[in-house]
Amino acid sequence: MAEIVTLAEGIAGLVADGDLVALEGFTHLIPVAAGHELIRQGRRELTLARMTPDIVYDQLIGAGCASGLIFSWGGNPGVGSLHRLRDAVEHGWPQPLRLEEHSHAGMANRYAAGASGLPFAVLRGYTGTDLLRHTSTVATVTCPFTGEELTAVAALNPDVTIIHAQRADRRGAVQLWGITGVQKEALLAARRSLVTVEEIVPELTPRPGAIVLPAWAVTAVAEVPGGARPSYAQDYYERDNDAYRAWDAISRDRETFLDWLSRTVLEPVARS
């Protein structure tokens, strides 16, 4: 059975410096509050994995939490670049950032292989790209039945996967619905997992199309209402598009970013 914890307890107990951490969410149910707690607790030398790192990864990188990034696309959706990510890659501020790039299909297959207990996954992808030459977790493999040359991607097994969901029950079973991306695969591939939820309820009511993660598959659950903002949680709140637009100006300048980080992420908790 999953343990019910506070967000601060979950991060403190599950995430250590140097861990490979995946905070997954595909435009929806992005675990932003958990990312901010990683910043507040001063985690360092993390390798961050995510199919589509957006502004919360920009914040983690700018705060000095990350030394590496495994990803398939990075940007501020609908707006432009991640400027803290660019500053780390181009100028090494606040520290250099290692990059490991994949395709969306490659990342999804890596998580699926990890969740299945397999060493790698096979797909028809990466053909015509330079990723085979530059990425150690991509290789070619020959099909033993047809002789066809295919692409193999190494399984991805995070030390910790963190996701956000709509609700959990008191035993720690988790229910999420809407756009779910690779949350299920990333969680099942991980050694440890933390799920933040909008609410903990006495019993999960069945819903068409919902995914239920059983309590035995989850390490810890924390009730964090609004934990995905400024992304959205279907049937709870909408995406805050203004916040994504505002981030572009905030993140362009180091001092403006550090001021935002102090006022928005660090000081409110220090005063509480």
Side-chain angles (χ1 to χ4, degrees):
M1 187 166 70
E3 184 179 4
I4 306 299
V5 298
T6 66
L7 176 57
E9 290 169 342
I11 295 298
L14 295 175
V15 184
D17 289 352
D19 274 350
L20 169 54
V21 182
L23 291 87
E24 275 296 346
F26 195 77
T27 77
H28 174 230
L29 296 175
I30 297 169
V32 175
H36 289 175
E37 186 61 27
L38 286 168
I39 294 171
R40 283 191 289 270
Q41 294 196 18
R43 290 296 177 271
R44 292 293 182 266
E45 298 299 319
L46 300 178
T47 299
L48 299 176
R50 187 168 156 203
M51 281 181 64
T52 55
D54 66 353
I55 67 175
V56 69
Y57 271 43
D58 213 26
Q59 293 158 10
L60 284 159
I61 292 165
C65 298
S67 60
L69 179 65
I70 303 170
F71 72 114
S72 51
W73 176 90
N76 186 345
V79 180
S81 292
L82 296 176
H83 299 292
R84 294 301 90 224
L85 167 61
R86 290 192 62 154
D87 203 4
V89 173
E90 295 173 1
H91 305 112
W93 192 94
Q95 65 183 42
L97 187 71
R98 303 184 314 273
L99 297 182
E100 181 181 324
E101 187 177 358
H102 289 271
S103 67
H104 277 355
M107 284 290 289
N109 275 275
R110 294 191 71 198
Y111 281 130
S116 302
L118 296 170
F120 64 90
V122 178
L123 65 155
R124 288 188 178 94
Y126 295 78
T127 303
T129 75
D130 290 333
L131 292 177
L132 279 162
R133 293 193 294 110
H134 296 287
T135 308
S136 62
T137 50
V138 181
T140 57
V141 62
T142 302
C143 174
F145 304 106
T146 66
E148 182 181 3
E149 187 175 272
L150 300 167
T151 301
V153 288
L156 182 56
N157 293 101
D159 293 304
V160 188
T161 288
I162 302 172
I163 65 170
H164 190 74
Q166 280 94 340
R167 59 193 181 196
D169 67 19
R170 290 169 181 165
R171 297 187 310 112
V174 173
Q175 188 180 45
L176 62 157
W177 60 88
I179 298 174
T180 52
V182 293
Q183 282 99 314
K184 175 184 71 175
E185 292 82 0
L187 184 139
L188 293 175
R191 297 172 178 86
R192 303 179 297 279
S193 60
L194 172 65
V195 183
T196 58
V197 296
E198 290 297 319
E199 59 178 337
I200 294 176
V201 297
E203 184 178 356
L204 298 179
T205 305
R207 288 183 60 102
I211 291 174
V212 175
L213 299 167
W216 56 261
V218 179
T219 308
V221 171
E223 187 176 56
V224 186
R229 287 192 172 102
S231 74
Y232 73 102
Q234 185 170 318
D235 297 322
Y236 285 80
Y237 44 86
E238 295 181 352
R239 187 179 192 267
D240 184 353
N241 293 318
D242 288 342
Y244 284 87
R245 285 191 288 265
W247 181 250
D248 187 68
I250 293 166
S251 63
R252 282 179 181 272
D253 177 74
R254 295 176 185 175
E255 293 304 317
T256 303
F257 162 73
L258 291 172
D259 178 67
W260 173 90
L261 190 68
S262 177
R263 289 184 295 100
T264 307
V265 178
L266 302 176
E267 286 183 4
V269 173
R271 292 196 300 266
S272 63

